[in-house]
Amino acid sequence: MADWLAALHRRAELRAKAGLTRRLRPRAAEDAVVDLAGNDYLGLATHPEVTAAAGRALAAYGLGATGSRLVRGSTDVHHGLEAALADWLGTDGSLVFSSGYLANLGAVRALAQPRTLLVSDAHNHASLIDGCRISGAETVVTPHADPAAVAAALSAAPGRPAVVITESVFSVDGDLAPLAELHAVARRHGALLLVDDAHALGVTGPSGAGGVAAAGLAGEPDVVVTATLSKALGGAGGVVAGPAEFVRHLVETGRTFIFDTALPPAVAAGVRAALDLARAGDHLRAELAERAAETVRRLRAAGLTVSAPDAAVVSVTAPGPEAATAWAAGCADRGVAVGCFRPPSTPDSRSRLRLTISAGVPRAEFERALDVIVECAP
Ligand SMILES: Cc1ncc(COP(=O)(O)O)c(C=O)c1O
């Protein structure tokens, strides 16, 4: 084996020894798995109105966008989606990216000037962390959900431009950021607040408008919102929403917008249809909240350590990485897909199962899945 491949092989062996092997598992189009691992929170990925809208745009525009929007042109579908997202989120404007990851990279980099201090929550998603890294700006990582630590970091850099960066619903444990307090701290110090609403959009807030709207911060001039369109909206893509001048700045300077092929129009059209359903989906959110509460109740009653049902992400502590892998595999063997999170994909040394609750899973299957999770527990 060539030297460089032998070196990779040794690293794979070390990961295996630590119980950190990752394997791709096959997925059939018609699999009968009960999905508590994906992020289709409202069950919209397969909704007939969503797939029909995508199908119409597919027929009209073809498979891909064939280029970036600046080069190849900007379709009505993209503009319509951006207007609808801005209206829902209560912002001046929005810009769609081809993924949430690229939206976060673009947003963080665009907010960071040479002297900017980035203040990033310790549990932030990899895309926010990478955004801080590629921005080249000095970054202070503050303890999780700790406005006092954020205030201390900002106080230590008086007179410097700063951006406080957080998720609204954290992706691993599903807990909520103290957004109102973080905003108050940021404003007191003249800093901006960047919130990744990935796991909140469609799930929390008035008409599902997300965590920023739930905190009463929609449209604030010192708040920028990002989100993925791949979770409750069931599609793909990402969005950055905020003041119109900021959106214009992203169009003209955002490398992950300019140098990236646009989101396929068919996906944008499907997401647009999903947005209308999500916005009108209070009944789906009620079902989701009830299921999250029931999940926590049932698993705690079985003696498991479980996070709070703040949104649709519930995490269950596993004794270690191997136990987490075996637990998830046991569930999969019985037809229940759950997320298995082990270091380094966790913000600390704890391994967990991550259950993502969906209102789209038939009720009886959801109930059975909870039984399976308890029965397979280590
Ligand atoms: C909090 C958070 N932000 C951003 C992303 C990235 O979004 P996307 O999958 O659309 O790239 C994810 C995961 O997918 C996420 O959980």
Side-chain angles (χ1 to χ4, degrees):
M1 198 187 290
D3 285 355
W4 69 281
L5 293 176
L8 295 188
H9 187 70
R10 277 194 298 280
R11 285 164 65 178
E13 283 176 339
L14 288 176
R15 284 197 301 275
K17 243 189 217 155
L20 297 176
T21 298
R22 296 173 196 266
R23 290 252 184 278
L24 289 170
R25 277 179 289 111
R27 169 181 165 185
E30 300 289 333
D31 67 5
V33 157
V34 186
D35 180 14
L36 297 187
N39 301 105
D40 185 16
Y41 295 126
L42 303 178
L44 298 179
T46 52
H47 192 288
E49 284 176 36
V50 171
T51 52
R56 284 192 297 274
L58 184 69
Y61 289 100
L63 184 58
T66 75
S68 85
R69 283 163 66 189
L70 286 164
V71 170
R72 186 57 191 85
S74 192
T75 71
D76 283 353
V77 186
H78 290 98
H79 287 295
L81 176 58
E82 284 166 351
L85 282 163
D87 187 53
W88 194 21
L89 294 167
T91 56
D92 272 0
S94 85
L95 188 68
V96 164
F97 289 68
S98 64
S99 76
Y101 209 111
L102 293 179
N104 277 342
L105 295 186
V108 179
R109 183 173 170 277
L111 290 172
Q113 306 305 314
R115 289 179 60 248
T116 301
L117 179 73
L118 301 177
V119 181
S120 177
D121 186 284
H123 285 201
N124 275 346
H125 188 260
S127 53
L128 295 169
I129 296 170
D130 289 353
C132 294
R133 288 178 181 156
I134 65 164
S135 77
E138 184 189 346
T139 303
V140 175
V141 176
T142 45
H144 179 51
D146 187 344
V150 170
L154 293 173
S155 298
R160 276 177 68 182
V163 187
V164 176
I165 305 173
T166 185
E167 293 175 39
S168 53
V169 172
F170 284 92
S171 58
V172 176
D173 285 332
D175 56 320
L176 305 182
L179 287 185
E181 291 91 325
L182 289 172
H183 181 248
V185 167
R187 185 164 279 184
R188 207 162 49 242
H189 289 83
L192 300 176
L193 178 65
L194 171 63
V195 182
D196 180 351
D197 243 347
H199 292 271
L201 189 65
V203 174
T204 67
S207 305
V212 170
L217 300 175
E220 289 294 335
D222 48 3
V223 176
V224 169
V225 187
T226 64
T228 174
L229 312 176
S230 65
K231 300 192 190 298
L233 297 181
V239 63
V240 180
E245 193 61 42
F246 182 58
V247 171
R248 180 178 168 184
H249 179 76
L250 284 170
V251 171
E252 294 184 17
T253 71
R255 292 170 68 82
T256 60
F257 178 77
I258 296 170
F259 299 105
D260 186 47
T261 297
L263 185 70
V267 177
V271 168
R272 174 63 219 276
L275 186 157
D276 291 341
L277 292 162
R279 209 170 167 174
D282 281 347
H283 58 296
L284 296 172
R285 277 180 285 282
E287 178 69 20
L288 201 52
E290 198 196 304
R291 289 185 185 196
E294 182 183 344
T295 301
V296 170
R297 230 180 7 254
R298 293 254 306 263
L299 300 191
R300 281 189 183 154
L304 297 166
T305 304
V306 187
S307 63
D310 289 334
V313 178
V314 173
S315 95
V316 193
T317 302
E322 286 97 348
T325 309
W327 194 355
C331 292
D333 287 346
R334 294 185 53 191
V336 176
V338 298
C340 176
F341 279 54
R342 301 154 300 168
S345 309
T346 54
D348 50 33
S349 58
R350 221 158 28 94
S351 295
R352 305 121 156 110
L353 294 194
R354 187 183 76 166
L355 314 179
T356 37
I357 315 301
S358 172
V361 170
R363 183 89 208 189
E365 290 186 22
F366 163 71
E367 302 282 351
R368 184 177 77 77
L370 296 185
D371 290 339
V372 167
I373 291 163
V374 169
E375 285 159 19
C376 293

